[in-house]
């Protein structure tokens, strides 16, 4: 795809395909979020706005058959829907401008860093351009694999008072987090861990996210634990607790990668949950501070101590949301490995 903006005539010449992503795994009403900054609008799958968008995009002769093919479910994997569990699509806000895959994928990654959950891409509807209008429709489906024994156990939830925070976070930090290479890399690695079928490799992927923030190899483990604690803790006591917890997380990591054929997985579920929450918090802190590169970040962290997170960048203020995750990191002490 050519990622160039322009009027409809330019779009038809440049964008030969248009992908419409479909997401599942949320209790939250995603239509309350604003994606106008990427020329996107979140609508209910199979809803009125979804149908209207397709009617604008598709050639009249192709609309009925193409639309029916899209909304009918022929896939083998079941998707359960009820009043508060729906599929959501991101469609172009302005049909004469492109909806870029890089942008909607970045939105998905940002949401996972805000609320670690089973929020997942389950379909891509691809519209193909022919004679100046979209006509052909292809649908790519992805299995939805819940991480909890109960299918809805880890669905994304946004408390009523948190919608304002989520909207403001996306609006302010979407492009800064997209444009900083190391944050973009961490986000990509973090999001990929959710799709990895083996929990052990999910765990190692999350550890890699922490390691990206360290420049060089000298005293890697110590600096990783200190930097993460400093970035994610607001008080000295919180920083110490995070540092101690990372000691335990790293013992398991070392046992896995150094060939221990029988590492202890006694507390693996708790370790994994805590690590996922910690990496999500780390991503949010790095995004808000918006330090240009890892070298500058390490220089600042070396100069500061526990409880001085606010001094990493100007005009910083810690967010109380998401409340549950922040509270867990502040008070939870995980069991010793």
């Amino acid at each position: 795809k050519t990622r160039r903006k322009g009027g409809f005539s330019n779009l038809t010449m440049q964008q030969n395909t248009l992908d419409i992503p479909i997401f599942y795994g949320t209790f939250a009403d995603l239509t309350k979020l604003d994606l106008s900054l990427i020329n996107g609008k979140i609508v209910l799958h199979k809803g009125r706005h979804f149908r209207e968008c397709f009617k604008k995009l598709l050639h009249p002769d192709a609309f009925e058959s193409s639309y029916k093919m899209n909304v009918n479910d022929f896939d083998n994997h079941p998707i359960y829907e009820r009043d508060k569990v729906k599929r959501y699509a991101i469609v172009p806000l302005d049909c004469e401008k492109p909806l870029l895959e890089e942008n909607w994928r970045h939105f998905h990654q940002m949401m996972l860093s805000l609320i670690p959950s089973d929020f997942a891409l389950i379909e891509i509807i691809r519209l193909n351009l022919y004679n100046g209008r979209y006509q052909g429709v292809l649908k790519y489906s992805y299995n939805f694999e819940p991480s909890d024994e109960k299918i809805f156990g880890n669905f994304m939830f946004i408390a009523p008072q948190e919608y304002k925070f989520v909207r403001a976070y996306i609006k302010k930090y979407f492009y800064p987090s997209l444009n900083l290479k190391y944050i973009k890399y961490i986000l990509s690695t973090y999001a990929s861990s959710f799709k990895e079928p083996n929990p052990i490799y999910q765990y190692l992927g999350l550890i890699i996210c922490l390691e990206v923030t360290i420049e060089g190899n000298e005293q890697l483990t110590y600096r990783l634990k200190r930097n993460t604690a400093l970035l994610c803790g607001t008080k000295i006591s919180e920083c110490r607790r995070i540092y101690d917890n990372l000691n335990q997380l790293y013992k398991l990591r070392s046992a896995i990668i150094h060939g221990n054929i029988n590492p202890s997985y006694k507390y693996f579920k708790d370790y994994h949950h805590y690590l996922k929450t910690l990496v999500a918090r780390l991503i949010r802190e790095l995004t808000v501070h918006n330090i240009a590169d890892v070298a500058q970040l390490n220089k600042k962290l070396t100069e500061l101590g526990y409880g001085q997170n606010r001094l990493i960048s100007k005009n910083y203020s810690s967010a109380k949301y998401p409340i549950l995750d922040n509270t867990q990191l502040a008070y939870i002490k995980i069991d010793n490995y």
Side-chain angles (χ1 to χ4, degrees):
K1 297 178 197 177
T2 301
R3 295 169 177 170
R4 198 168 88 186
K5 295 184 178 180
F8 189 67
S9 60
N10 287 335
L11 173 61
T12 56
M13 290 170 58
Q14 302 295 337
Q15 193 167 344
N16 293 322
T17 60
L18 173 64
D19 288 347
I20 306 294
I22 311 295
F23 295 95
Y24 181 69
T26 175
F27 290 121
D29 181 0
L30 299 188
T31 64
K32 293 182 178 180
L33 304 184
D34 180 11
L35 290 185
S36 58
L37 79 169
I38 64 169
N39 187 41
K41 180 179 177 65
I42 304 179
V43 299
L44 283 172
H45 181 240
K46 302 184 183 180
R48 176 173 61 88
H49 293 294
F50 184 73
R51 181 182 174 88
E52 288 175 353
C53 175
F54 270 75
K55 204 161 189 176
K56 290 178 182 178
L57 290 167
L58 290 171
H59 191 282
D61 295 339
F63 171 70
E64 287 298 337
S65 60
S66 295
Y67 183 76
K68 286 179 181 179
M69 185 183 76
N70 161 65
V71 298
N72 289 330
D73 293 318
F74 301 109
D75 304 301
N76 294 324
H77 62 281
I79 294 295
Y80 302 99
E81 295 187 85
R82 51 180 69 172
D83 288 344
K84 293 186 178 180
V85 180
K86 300 291 185 182
R87 279 177 276 187
Y88 291 89
I90 301 178
V91 299
L93 184 64
D94 183 344
C95 294
E96 296 185 356
K97 297 179 181 178
L99 176 65
L100 304 183
E101 179 181 348
E102 179 183 40
N103 287 343
W104 57 254
R105 286 193 183 275
H106 188 65
F107 161 74
H108 179 214
Q109 294 169 2
M110 287 188 77
M111 291 305 299
L112 289 176
S113 71
L114 282 167
I115 306 108
S117 64
D118 285 343
F119 179 52
L121 175 72
I122 61 165
E123 292 175 0
I124 295 176
I125 301 167
R126 176 161 295 171
L127 308 182
N128 294 301
L129 198 67
Y130 182 73
N131 284 344
R133 295 296 295 270
Y134 292 107
Q135 295 191 33
V137 176
L138 296 173
K139 185 165 69 170
Y140 301 89
S141 299
Y142 306 92
N143 287 332
F144 177 75
E145 303 290 348
S147 61
D148 194 88
E149 294 176 358
K150 299 177 180 178
I151 186 171
F152 303 120
N154 196 30
F155 272 38
M156 184 169 67
F157 175 77
I158 301 177
Q161 67 271 27
E162 291 182 330
Y163 279 99
K164 183 178 180 180
F165 162 74
V166 174
R167 286 192 294 267
Y169 183 89
I170 292 171
K171 182 178 181 180
K172 186 172 184 179
Y173 298 116
F174 183 91
Y175 283 110
S177 60
L178 180 63
N179 294 330
L180 282 180
K181 290 183 179 179
Y182 71 98
I183 295 180
K184 186 178 179 181
Y185 180 82
I186 294 172
L187 266 171
S188 176
T189 304
Y190 168 77
S192 294
S193 75
F194 286 77
K195 296 182 289 185
E196 167 58 52
N198 188 325
I200 303 303
Y201 290 113
Q202 291 178 22
Y203 188 90
L204 294 178
L206 293 169
I207 291 289
I208 290 172
C209 292
L210 301 180
E211 293 177 344
V212 173
T213 64
I214 306 302
E215 183 185 32
N217 296 317
E218 186 178 347
Q219 294 184 310
L220 172 65
T221 304
Y222 165 73
R223 289 192 297 128
L224 180 149
K225 292 184 289 188
R226 181 183 183 276
N227 286 5
T228 303
L230 201 160
L231 278 160
C232 297
T234 58
K235 301 176 182 178
I236 293 176
S237 59
E238 292 177 17
C239 294
R240 286 174 175 166
R241 188 171 292 110
I242 291 170
Y243 184 96
D244 291 342
N245 286 339
L246 278 166
N247 265 330
Q248 307 312 317
L249 299 178
Y250 242 72
K251 286 179 182 178
L252 175 56
R253 174 259 185 197
S254 297
I256 294 170
I257 68 170
H258 291 306
N260 185 332
I261 62 173
N262 190 31
S264 171
Y265 294 114
K266 182 178 180 180
Y267 303 117
F268 180 79
K269 190 173 182 179
D270 292 337
Y271 279 26
H272 190 191
H273 175 76
Y274 181 89
L275 180 58
K276 193 181 298 182
T277 304
L278 182 63
V279 173
R281 172 65 179 269
L282 177 70
I283 291 169
R284 297 194 300 272
E285 292 298 318
L286 292 171
T287 299
V288 171
H289 285 301
N290 196 35
I291 304 302
D293 54 48
V294 172
Q296 290 187 44
L297 175 68
N298 278 256
K299 183 177 179 181
K300 288 179 177 290
L301 293 176
T302 301
E303 296 169 352
L304 299 175
Y306 284 176
Q308 294 185 315
N309 183 0
R310 66 190 184 280
L311 301 179
I312 296 173
S313 61
K314 294 181 179 179
N315 303 318
Y316 169 83
S317 60
S318 59
K320 65 178 181 180
Y321 300 114
I323 294 174
L324 180 60
D325 288 1
N326 288 345
T327 301
Q328 288 178 339
L329 291 179
Y331 297 106
I332 285 181
K333 183 184 185 303
I334 62 175
D335 292 297
N336 290 343
Y337 175 73

